[in-house]
Amino acid sequence: EQLKGTLLGDVPPSVVVADEALGHGPDAVNLWMGDGNAVTTLHKDHYENLYGVVRGAKHFTLYPPSSAPFLYPTQLEARRYAKSDDGAWSMQPLPELEVAWEGVTRPWIAVDPARPDLDRFPLFEKAVPTRVTVRPGELLYLPAMWFHQVAQDADTVAVNYWYDMHFGASFALNSFVQKLALQLVRPSGVAAEREPGDESGAGVSLK
């Protein structure tokens, strides 16, 4: 009730221009709060994203879907933090119900755009980023399937609107472009090999 009388009254339930362009309202409206220590990993979402800042600033590092072969996407076993009886926190397997619903692994990109390890990820230097800072009163449209890392200033408050993407021709085109980009980077007859001792598949070299 406290939020309803203050913050919720200042946040519209949707973005009208997005409603009209996409033909439907948002699936979710999210509130984000944090300080300068909060930084996401590089990832992508299956949502059209409208991102507005209320206080502070958000710093986006963006890569189009065609950058996929330079970002070393992989699948890793998902874990979660859990607190034991003695108060210690540790990484634990996911509950059986969550595994049954979403599977054991999750997509993951280990490259940090701010501090890339080019010895481990040499192709990353071919990825060209777009960097955007969103300040109070500004709204960023982040297309679905674009890779992004998000950092922020101290005491930042933001709101974003997730609109479900259309899994039609644009999704098929996105998949085609990513597969085509992979072929251009790794042409027929050129083998992609793991570095010695690398069992993750993340450190790939082209011979």
Side-chain angles (χ1 to χ4, degrees), residues 2 5 53 105 131 180 184 189 199:
Q2 184 178 7
V53 170
T105 63
R131 293 185 173 88
L180 178 61
L184 292 174
E199 297 300 324

Side-chain angles (χ1 to χ4, degrees), residues 5-205:
T6 56
L7 182 61
L8 292 184
D10 295 330
V11 177
S14 66
V15 180
V16 175
V17 65
D19 296 349
E20 295 177 354
L22 299 173
H24 56 82
D27 279 19
V29 182
N30 306 299
L31 172 67
W32 305 93
M33 296 185 292
D35 60 19
N37 295 312
V39 181
T40 73
T41 58
L42 192 59
H43 66 286
K44 64 180 179 179
D45 299 310
H46 289 77
Y47 289 99
E48 309 290 352
N49 192 348
L50 278 296
Y51 211 109
V53 170
V54 178
R55 174 191 295 175
K58 288 275 187 176
H59 309 287
F60 290 80
T61 303
L62 311 174
Y63 297 89
S66 56
S67 295
F70 310 131
L71 305 181
Y72 297 86
T74 187
Q75 293 278 336
L76 295 181
E77 182 180 351
R79 296 293 183 101
R80 68 170 184 171
Y81 276 109
K83 195 173 185 179
S84 61
D85 294 336
D86 61 3
W89 290 87
S90 62
M91 298 291 288
Q92 300 293 331
L94 296 177
E96 291 185 7
L97 181 60
E98 188 171 343
V99 170
W101 181 255
E102 296 190 21
V104 177
T105 63
R106 300 288 189 277
W108 184 260
I109 295 175
V111 184
D112 181 356
R115 292 175 293 275
D117 183 348
L118 295 181
D119 290 332
R120 189 180 182 193
F121 308 109
L123 295 180
F124 181 72
E125 65 180 354
K126 298 181 181 294
V128 180
T130 297
R131 293 185 173 88
V132 179
T133 294
V134 184
R135 296 181 174 84
E138 298 177 341
L139 188 69
L140 170 69
Y141 167 53
L142 176 57
M145 307 299 289
W146 273 59
F147 298 96
H148 54 284
Q149 183 189 61
V150 188
Q152 60 191 18
D153 292 347
D155 300 327
T156 293
V157 179
V159 175
N160 83 309
Y161 298 81
W162 274 340
Y163 288 77
D164 196 18
M165 68 172 290
H166 176 60
F167 289 87
S170 60
F171 179 75
L173 178 60
N174 173 74
S175 299
F176 169 75
V177 169
Q178 291 201 43
K179 291 178 180 178
L180 178 61
L182 286 169
Q183 291 297 320
L184 292 174
V185 173
R186 296 175 183 144
S188 177
V190 178
E193 300 179 359
R194 292 181 180 178
E195 296 288 359
D198 180 6
E199 297 300 324
S200 69
V204 177
S205 63

